[in-house]
Amino acid sequence: MLPLRAAPSRATLHSLGKLRAIASIGGRSCSAWRSSSVRASSRWGSSWSEEVRACKRLTEAVRFPGGKDQAGEALQSLRQLWLCHEAGSRPARFAVSPAVVNAACTAIDWGLVGGEEAHDILQWLAKEVASRLGNFSPGTGVAGTAYVHVIHREPSGKLLPLLEEHLTLLTSRKSLTPRAIANFINLLYGSSSEHQPSQTLSHLRLEAAGTLSSFAATELLDVASGLAKCQQLDCNFLQDLRRAVDSMPFEPPPSPEHPWDVADPSKTWRCPQPPRLLADFPDALVLSKPAGWSCATGRASRATGGDGRGGPAPARVAEVLAASFPELSPFQDAAADHGMAHRLDLETSGALLLGKSLRSFWRLRLEFVAQKVKRQYLTLVQGRLGPLGVAQQVQEPLRLQRLRRSNPTRSVQSKSLVCETGRPARTRFVPLAHVKSREGGDMTLLSAEPLTGRTHQIRSHLAYLGHPLV
């Protein structure tokens, strides 16, 4: 099986990240642009500098009403560079960022190029996006979803059909890796708010069904997540995914280099009430997580301490698991999220489900991403939200916004905001009772059920409705 074209190196992506930042702040970064261009030129040669300069001219030109002529020239220049690359007269160092794809589609929508020339440019963009999405590693940033937002909001509506045509061709040639298939299903179709049947999605699903034994556990989860989000995951295919997870030869993780330093909770952690065991099943545990405990899986040193506000770092469930259950391998493995099949917010209390083996952990994760696990939360919000007993639903996309931290050990590093370019999110809630606060203010007790698994989804949706959590 042939993989897609190799992804650019970390240094290359870093240079393109600078390009996107420059495009967002306009002409005020001329000096920064010159220095970054010189560095790129010295590292990669003059050919790389030409692509970067053309991309920069294009992204800046489309931001201003009077930049149409410059945008057209930059787009023509990019097309010529790409043609030289395709002909083999230029090195294969061409990479297109989401900002460049958006700028090129905007220039075409302005009518700066048309006819066959516009079709050739869109076809080139479709190939570049397919290469980027196919090699994208989930968890490394927002680049994957950024491409998808551009594709689904492209004004002419021609980029997605060309991309699907290219994917169908790759599928027929059996030239897609499992990682590429998982990315296309999860990112391209799972991130769309429109659940229309797609022949390309059917081809990708058929290709995945025939090669499930070659998929990694994370790739199987991405396939299940994408199909569930676009409502194309049936019981038979889910059973195939379950069997694929069960047949995996999981190996125990290596011993940690540094032992866990778990001390007395009352002395080390600011939360006096530690998590307690609710249920012990043959393959799973259920813990009761108090508010104030973090489900973060990355291990940060407590030597620096602090939560960014002058207090100690929040206690982490992972440390309790590693100390209390040393014989259970998932609880010692950060790559397996220390056995946690899902997470709860720092300020949220509730039941936490954990797998006692790597196989049960991945099976539980599969059930979560396939939306087969129902979760309900009791929530107290400000104001009167009614009518009582009537189920309501919020379907606003959420985008994760990173927060600046004064200390790297702080657990809460981001928040979700309602944004039209965000990922699809659905929350169902039922108002149960209207109550009064001590000061006489109105409050509503409600039952909330997240139908998707976005970060801070319930609190973000309720705040958007004007009823933040108490």
Side-chain angles (χ1 to χ4, degrees), residues 114-231:
E116 221 174 289
E117 192 174 19
H119 182 271
D120 290 344
I121 292 175
L122 288 173
Q123 200 168 39
W124 157 57
L125 292 175
K127 291 181 180 179
E128 290 294 324
V129 171
S131 177
R132 303 280 82 74
L133 285 181
N135 292 285
F136 177 70
S137 298
T140 59
V142 297
T145 53
Y147 280 116
V148 173
H149 293 319
V150 172
I151 292 169
H152 289 293
R153 288 165 177 79
E154 191 260 318
S156 69
K158 298 178 180 178
L159 183 59
L160 180 58
L162 289 173
L163 177 59
E164 291 187 321
E165 181 181 331
H166 182 60
L167 292 182
T168 302
L169 179 62
L170 293 177
T171 305
S172 64
R173 294 176 178 175
K174 306 290 184 181
S175 58
L176 290 179
T177 63
R179 177 74 272 164
I181 295 174
N183 281 352
F184 291 133
I185 292 177
N186 190 31
L187 292 173
L188 188 59
Y189 296 101
S191 298
S192 174
S193 57
E194 299 180 2
H195 304 144
Q196 299 295 332
S198 169
Q199 187 176 6
T200 304
L201 178 60
S202 300
H203 290 162
L204 290 171
R205 173 179 158 164
L206 187 61
E207 179 72 11
T211 57
L212 285 180
S213 59
S214 62
F215 280 63
T218 54
E219 295 163 353
L220 292 174
L221 262 61
D222 287 338
V223 171
S225 177
L227 292 176
K229 290 172 187 173
C230 61
Q231 302 175 6

Side-chain angles (χ1 to χ4, degrees), residues 303-343:
T304 55
D307 61 352
R309 293 171 289 190
R316 285 190 290 177
V317 176
E319 297 180 356
V320 176
L321 294 172
S324 304
F325 305 96
E327 72 282 2
L328 299 180
S329 59
F331 298 164
Q332 319 293 326
D333 190 0
D337 289 346
H338 297 283
M340 290 181 280
H342 64 110
R343 300 187 190 185

Side-chain angles (χ1 to χ4, degrees), residues 402-452:
R402 299 295 178 185
L403 301 178
R404 291 185 178 181
R405 310 179 290 166
S406 58
N407 192 297
T409 61
R410 182 173 176 179
S411 176
V412 180
Q413 306 175 26
S414 58
K415 65 178 180 179
S416 291
L417 298 175
V418 172
C419 177
E420 63 176 5
T421 60
R423 303 177 70 183
R426 294 179 294 131
T427 303
R428 180 186 296 126
F429 62 91
V430 180
L432 302 177
H434 293 146
V435 296
K436 292 285 186 179
S437 66
R438 293 180 179 178
E439 294 77 19
D442 291 327
M443 297 187 298
T444 303
L445 179 68
L446 53 85
S447 171
E449 179 184 356
L451 303 179
T452 52

Side-chain angles (χ1 to χ4, degrees), residues 263-333:
D264 182 5
S266 61
K267 296 180 180 179
T268 305
W269 298 314
R270 66 177 180 178
C271 306
Q273 180 185 4
R276 59 187 178 89
L277 185 64
L278 291 180
D280 187 356
F281 300 104
D283 295 321
L285 290 176
V286 183
L287 290 186
S288 174
K289 185 193 88 69
W293 282 77
S294 171
C295 291
T297 56
R299 189 173 191 270
S301 173
R302 289 187 181 274
T304 55
D307 61 352
R309 293 171 289 190
R316 285 190 290 177
V317 176
E319 297 180 356
V320 176
L321 294 172
S324 304
F325 305 96
E327 72 282 2
L328 299 180
S329 59
F331 298 164
Q332 319 293 326
D333 190 0

Side-chain angles (χ1 to χ4, degrees), residues 38-112:
V38 170
R39 286 194 294 270
S41 176
S42 61
R43 186 174 179 88
W44 298 107
S46 59
S47 62
W48 177 251
S49 180
E50 287 184 48
E51 276 92 353
V52 174
R53 283 175 178 155
C55 291
K56 188 249 181 192
R57 289 198 305 270
L58 178 61
T59 53
E60 284 194 342
V62 298
R63 298 180 66 246
F64 305 101
K68 291 188 176 182
D69 293 339
Q70 292 84 349
E73 294 174 0
L75 191 59
Q76 293 283 1
S77 176
L78 273 178
R79 180 173 179 269
Q80 292 301 320
L81 291 170
W82 169 68
L83 290 175
C84 292
H85 161 62
E86 288 291 300
S89 59
R90 297 182 65 81
R93 294 172 181 167
F94 210 103
V96 175
S97 68
V100 173
V101 177
N102 182 59
C105 293
T106 301
I108 292 175
D109 184 55
W110 283 352
L112 302 181

Side-chain angles (χ1 to χ4, degrees), residues 230-250:
C230 61
Q231 302 175 6
Q232 299 295 319
L233 181 62
D234 57 51
C235 296
N236 292 333
F237 193 78
L238 180 57
Q239 279 297 107
D240 292 339
L241 292 172
R242 289 168 176 162
R243 284 191 287 267
V245 171
D246 291 339
S247 63
M248 285 188 169
F250 291 107

